[in-house]
Amino acid sequence: MAYRITNRFSDQLEKVITLAEGRPFLFRYGLTVTTCLLASFLLFGTHAIIGPTNPYLFLLGAVLVSSWYGGSRPGYLAFLYSVVFSWLTYVQPAIDARDPALIRVLLQDGLFIVESILVLLLAYRRHKNYIEMQVRTAQQAVIATIGQYGLEEQNLTGFIQRVMHAISKTLDVEYCQVLELLPDNKSLRFRSGIGWRRGLLGKIIYTGDSNSQASYTLQVNRPVIFRNLQKERRFSGTELLEEQEIVSGMSVVIPGSPQPYGVLAVHTKKQREFTRDDVNFLTALANVISTTIERRTIRYELELMSRLNSELVNSLDLDQTLAGVVSSLVPNFAETCEIYIKDAEQRTSLFEVKSTVKEKERLFREIGDKYPPLFSSKRPTARVLRSGKPLYMPLLSLSYLDDVSTDAYHKKLIRQLGLTSIMVLPIKARHKIIGTIGFGSFDRGRIFNERNFLLAQEIADRVAVAIDNANLYQEARNAVQARDEFLSIASHELKTPLTSMLLQLQAVLHSIKNESLASFSIEKTMIMLESTLSQSKRLTRLVNDLLNISLITTGRLQLEKEKVDLTRTVKDVMQKLSPQIKKDKITISFNGPESLIGNWDPIRLEQVLINLLTNAIKYGEGKPVEVELQEKNNIALLRIIDHGMGIPQDQQGKIFKRFQRGKVKASIKGLGVGLYLVNEIVLAHKGKIELESTLKQGSTFSIELPLST
């Protein structure tokens, strides 16, 4: 289909270009010869009737007919024939015969010459206007044809080349070119042309500091014409023009948004005048090119965003969503796309990457693994993460690539990538930077411009929404899973003490009802009642933890602060836990000042200490537990150290979350709320808690509490 359209427009273009060729050569000069011979025959035939006194009547008619229908040159030929014929036939014989009427003959001859010249001038002017009208009509037809062709042709490169062909034939010039303005608003790249030597296509031929005709055209933003390049003073004759022996030329700006697309120029080896119609023709085709590029760009952007939106709403799974995103963007928008995402510990790592070249995709992954974008890194990704501002570099230099490298091997990997143009943008969700998305190009023929940068920002915003939705969906799934696990654990944890209490009470009642006074054992009954009391305390503590979580989640946790001696509070808690300490045969040592006074909530601090010490006893595997307390810079530093099983690295960030438990030992039960309460209470006191743990070596919980909050 596209091939048939191209051939149809090629045929139509050839017709409109040859519209101004005029009448055939034989017709024009044959008409001159015929009219001159006819005038001569009529003169000789009517000589006997009108005599020799008016010989110019028919000759003037020959000049008039020849110049009017044949053109200027046939008119000149008829004029010369008439002068020679009248001289030889009438003037020369009158001179030789010394005819008294010689003066009248000369006056008639002079009048004939003047009239003939006027006729020739009028004919010349008419012929010139006719030719100009024909040329203008042909140019307008070419513009209309090219405009229609631009609506149907899908290949932009082929369309621009077709425009070059039309310009070259219509204006009869040897050289025609389109120079694309690069994003630096100074350099120009050879986009397309006719007549130039091979090897120029895609090359940057004018840099930002050049004083070329094209640069001058962009500077003045109007058509520029020169008749003789050697005498030109407004700009310099570049090496390219001098190499082709260019003499005359004309150039116009190809408009665009947000910057001009470039320059459309024509040149000739012979000196010539370019008319106002030529300027208007070239300007009109420059506008057609601009409109076609703009229309195709808009259509391309809409299609790209449509594909992207389809991928973004296709799934709520983060891996699947981002894999679809990079697949829709490469190679349609960029030659490479990489996405870095922050994890729960705020560490940034390469999440997804795709490139048109598999080897370069491997290089990106190796760089992402070996040289992650640390906060102090010079990498573009790290810069964007630090500043939160997008980075746009349309033309990369080798010096910059070397500057961002960490070591020699990193520099080697970066150079192997061969990036020439990059854009890196932050991915922001709810005013937080959750990652970056980067685009790159390896080819100088594909350099990102400001419009690409604006589109990349829109892409980053939509990707941010998709990532945030995927994270929220995953969090919701995790919350549902945590809720189900919590309900299962809570039902078991609550049921265990209730069952034990019920059994103990049933045993006591059975003993009282069925045993005689002589066999009734008070000691046995006391043991069962003490066990019941212990289980009720456990049940009360579980219920209180759940109530505290409710207060925290609804924002109703209130602190009742007073002067508290933290040293005394630690010792009181250790005393309360002494039965459990003795039961598990664990020793707890305390190292701290005699007194450390601060403004805190004593009940909440007791909860913190009970939860931490209880965990240290449960997970300490019978090994000693150490409690250290000191004051530093008006801050109370409390450390609880055990030497037990420790906590795996991948679980350390989860244990402070609600209903999350460290999965170290399945036999140890719990609701997964203790450390969550500890963290929230410490934060409510404007403090912080940190964990240091090594698997099978123990854990250290460090708490910092301002003495006065």
Side-chain angles (χ1 to χ4, degrees):
M1 179 64 180
Y3 179 76
R4 289 199 299 271
I5 291 173
T6 300
N7 283 344
R8 177 164 59 85
F9 275 103
S10 296
D11 296 340
Q12 186 176 351
L13 202 59
E14 290 296 332
K15 291 179 181 178
V16 298
I17 286 174
T18 57
L19 190 62
E21 287 186 351
R23 297 184 176 89
F25 175 87
L26 291 177
F27 171 81
R28 293 185 290 119
Y29 285 94
L31 179 65
T32 301
V33 173
T34 301
T35 54
C36 289
L37 292 177
L38 181 60
S40 301
F41 174 76
L42 290 174
L43 282 172
F44 285 118
T46 60
H47 184 271
I49 300 173
I50 62 175
T53 57
N54 193 13
Y56 312 113
L57 176 62
F58 298 108
L59 293 176
L60 182 60
V63 173
L64 180 60
V65 172
S66 298
S67 60
W68 192 261
Y69 292 101
S72 301
R73 292 183 180 179
Y76 295 148
L77 183 61
F79 172 68
L80 292 175
Y81 172 82
S82 299
V83 171
V84 172
F85 179 83
S86 61
W87 178 269
L88 295 176
T89 307
Y90 295 100
V91 178
Q92 184 66 39
I95 294 174
D96 294 341
R98 299 182 183 275
D99 190 337
L102 177 60
I103 296 177
R104 179 168 57 84
V105 172
L106 291 175
L107 288 175
Q108 288 178 344
D109 191 56
L111 182 60
F112 164 73
I113 292 174
V114 171
E115 290 174 348
S116 297
I117 291 175
L118 290 175
V119 168
L120 290 174
L121 289 176
L122 290 174
Y124 168 77
R125 192 61 188 172
R126 174 190 175 278
H127 181 70
K128 182 178 180 182
N129 291 338
Y130 173 78
I131 294 298
E132 289 177 353
M133 182 186 67
Q134 290 289 89
V135 170
R136 191 179 301 115
T137 302
Q139 291 177 350
Q140 291 173 352
V142 170
I143 293 170
T145 304
I146 289 294
Q148 185 180 0
Y149 181 70
L151 292 173
E152 301 189 27
E153 173 61 39
Q154 301 298 319
N155 185 352
L156 182 60
T157 301
F159 167 74
I160 294 179
Q161 193 65 23
R162 187 71 62 184
V163 174
M164 298 292 97
H165 170 75
I167 293 173
S168 177
K169 294 201 70 174
T170 304
L171 295 182
D172 190 24
V173 294
E174 298 98 324
Y175 301 98
C176 187
Q177 63 180 170
V178 169
L179 300 173
E180 181 185 1
L181 180 62
L182 297 183
D184 61 1
N185 284 325
K186 296 179 180 178
S187 302
L188 289 160
R189 178 174 54 190
F190 198 97
R191 181 69 169 79
S192 182
I194 285 180
W196 305 94
R197 61 177 170 83
R198 293 184 178 181
L200 290 177
L201 190 64
K203 288 189 175 182
I204 300 175
I205 60 174
Y206 299 126
T207 58
D209 56 353
S210 67
N211 183 30
S212 63
Q213 176 195 1
S215 301
Y216 179 76
T217 305
L218 288 170
Q219 179 183 348
V220 298
N221 195 28
R222 64 173 182 268
V224 174
I225 302 173
F226 65 90
R227 293 181 58 193
N228 191 333
L229 185 61
Q230 299 296 328
K231 298 179 179 180
E232 186 56 51
R233 296 294 179 265
R234 294 170 296 177
F235 46 84
S236 61
T238 61
E239 181 180 348
L240 180 63
L241 298 183
E242 293 174 353
E243 173 187 315
Q244 302 296 328
E245 299 179 353
I246 297 299
V247 177
S248 300
M250 173 176 57
S251 56
V252 296
V253 175
I254 304 175
S257 177
Q259 66 178 25
Y261 178 78
V263 174
L264 175 61
V266 295
H267 299 93
T268 63
K269 287 187 174 183
K270 296 180 179 180
Q271 184 169 315
R272 64 169 286 182
E273 292 280 355
F274 288 100
T275 66
R276 174 51 56 182
D277 288 338
D278 296 336
V279 173
N280 293 337
F281 172 72
L282 200 64
T283 302
L285 286 184
N287 291 332
V288 170
I289 293 174
S290 174
T291 303
T292 303
I293 293 173
E294 180 71 16
R295 184 171 55 250
R296 292 175 191 278
T297 301
I298 292 174
R299 185 172 63 187
Y300 155 76
E301 291 175 352
L302 291 175
E303 292 175 352
L304 178 67
M305 297 308 293
S306 176
R307 286 194 297 267
L308 180 64
N309 290 336
S310 177
E311 294 293 342
L312 292 177
V313 302
N314 189 43
S315 172
L316 284 173
D317 179 75
L318 188 59
D319 293 342
Q320 184 177 347
T321 298
L322 294 186
V325 166
V326 297
S327 296
S328 65
L329 295 174
V330 177
N332 299 309
F333 181 65
E335 291 179 300
T336 180
C337 176
E338 57 177 358
I339 299 178
Y340 280 82
I341 300 294
K342 287 185 177 181
D343 58 19
E345 284 73 34
Q346 297 299 303
R347 291 172 300 191
T348 306
S349 58
L350 182 62
F351 194 92
E352 190 67 54
V353 63
K354 185 176 179 62
S355 175
T356 54
V357 183
K358 289 297 181 183
E359 175 60 21
K360 294 188 177 183
E361 189 173 309
R362 184 194 66 79
L363 292 174
F364 276 112
R365 295 190 183 278
E366 184 175 357
I367 292 174
D369 293 338
K370 294 184 177 180
Y371 304 96
L374 303 176
F375 188 80
S376 58
S377 172
K378 295 181 180 180
R379 287 187 56 187
T381 303
R383 287 178 55 185
V384 172
L385 288 171
R386 284 196 302 270
S387 65
K389 298 179 181 179
L391 179 66
Y392 167 48
M393 303 191 72
L395 288 172
L396 289 176
S397 62
L398 288 178
S399 60
Y400 173 78
L401 295 175
D402 293 342
D403 185 57
V404 300
S405 59
T406 303
D407 52 37
Y409 187 66
H410 190 196
K411 182 188 296 186
K412 177 183 176 182
L413 294 177
I414 293 177
R415 289 207 170 203
Q416 287 178 351
L417 285 176
L419 288 170
T420 59
S421 184
I422 64 168
M423 298 181 294
V424 184
L425 304 101
I427 301 175
K428 296 181 180 180
R430 288 175 283 178
H431 308 292
K432 292 183 179 179
I433 299 177
I434 60 175
T436 64
I437 181 168
F439 304 98
S441 172
F442 309 124
D443 184 8
R444 292 245 175 218
R446 188 174 188 175
I447 298 174
F448 297 124
N449 55 34
E450 292 184 16
R451 185 154 189 159
N452 298 142
F453 183 53
L454 294 175
L455 184 60
Q457 290 178 308
E458 177 66 22
I459 292 172
D461 291 340
R462 299 195 183 192
V463 170
V465 173
I467 293 176
D468 192 39
N469 289 339
N471 288 336
L472 291 174
Y473 173 71
Q474 188 60 42
E475 288 175 6
R477 291 183 60 185
N478 293 339
V480 171
Q481 182 180 357
R483 181 202 63 187
D484 294 341
E485 292 179 358
F486 166 74
L487 291 176
S488 175
I489 295 171
S491 62
H492 179 269
E493 290 292 319
L494 294 173
K495 187 177 180 181
T496 299
L498 284 173
T499 303
S500 178
M501 290 171 60
L502 180 61
L503 291 173
Q504 296 293 345
L505 290 174
Q506 287 175 345
V508 170
L509 288 174
H510 183 273
S511 172
I512 293 174
K513 290 180 179 180
N514 300 321
E515 293 185 9
S516 63
L517 186 62
S519 61
F520 183 77
S521 173
I522 296 178
E523 290 80 5
K524 183 179 179 182
T525 303
M526 289 293 293
I527 291 173
M528 289 189 290
L529 289 175
E530 286 178 354
S531 177
T532 302
L533 180 62
S534 175
Q535 294 298 331
S536 68
K537 288 181 179 179
R538 179 184 175 189
L539 183 61
T540 301
R541 187 169 62 253
L542 292 173
V543 172
N544 286 336
D545 284 346
L546 294 177
L547 289 174
N548 286 326
I549 289 176
S550 176
L551 291 174
I552 291 171
T553 54
T554 58
R556 293 184 290 115
L557 179 64
Q558 300 293 329
L559 299 180
E560 297 181 4
K561 298 180 182 179
E562 58 184 66
K563 295 293 182 181
V564 178
D565 186 347
L566 188 54
T567 299
R568 186 174 186 83
T569 302
V570 172
K571 292 180 179 180
D572 289 344
V573 171
M574 292 172 60
Q575 183 63 32
K576 289 181 180 181
L577 295 176
S578 58
Q580 185 177 352
I581 293 172
K582 291 178 182 179
K583 177 184 175 182
D584 294 336
K585 298 179 181 180
I586 290 178
T587 60
I588 297 182
S589 62
F590 173 72
N591 181 20
E594 292 294 328
S595 177
L596 182 55
I597 307 297
N599 188 31
W600 303 301
D601 186 326
I603 296 178
R604 299 301 180 188
L605 279 188
E606 188 174 307
Q607 284 181 283
V608 170
L609 291 167
I610 289 174
N611 280 323
L612 291 177
L613 287 174
T614 301
N615 281 348
I617 294 170
K618 284 196 298 184
Y619 297 100
E621 297 183 323
K623 296 178 182 179
V625 176
E626 304 163 12
V627 181
E628 298 178 355
L629 179 63
Q630 61 176 318
E631 177 188 353
K632 185 178 181 181
N633 298 328
N634 203 35
I635 293 177
L637 303 177
L638 177 66
R639 302 176 73 223
I640 297 177
I641 308 166
D642 71 71
H643 303 280
M645 59 186 68
I647 303 172
Q649 184 72 28
D650 61 341
Q651 297 182 29
Q652 293 181 14
K654 301 177 181 179
I655 60 175
F656 292 106
K657 296 181 179 180
R658 184 175 48 179
F659 309 140
Q660 297 287 336
R661 300 177 61 246
K663 300 177 182 179
V664 179
K665 197 171 183 180
S667 61
I668 300 177
K669 304 297 182 182
L671 294 177
V673 298
L675 290 178
Y676 170 74
L677 290 174
V678 168
N679 186 50
E680 293 298 324
I681 292 171
V682 170
L683 291 176
H685 282 87
K686 309 298 182 184
K688 66 177 181 178
I689 183 170
E690 294 180 349
L691 169 64
E692 296 179 8
S693 183
T694 303
L695 200 61
K696 296 183 180 181
Q697 294 185 19
S699 304
T700 299
F701 289 87
S702 302
I703 297 176
E704 295 183 6
L705 294 171
L707 297 182
S708 177
T709 59

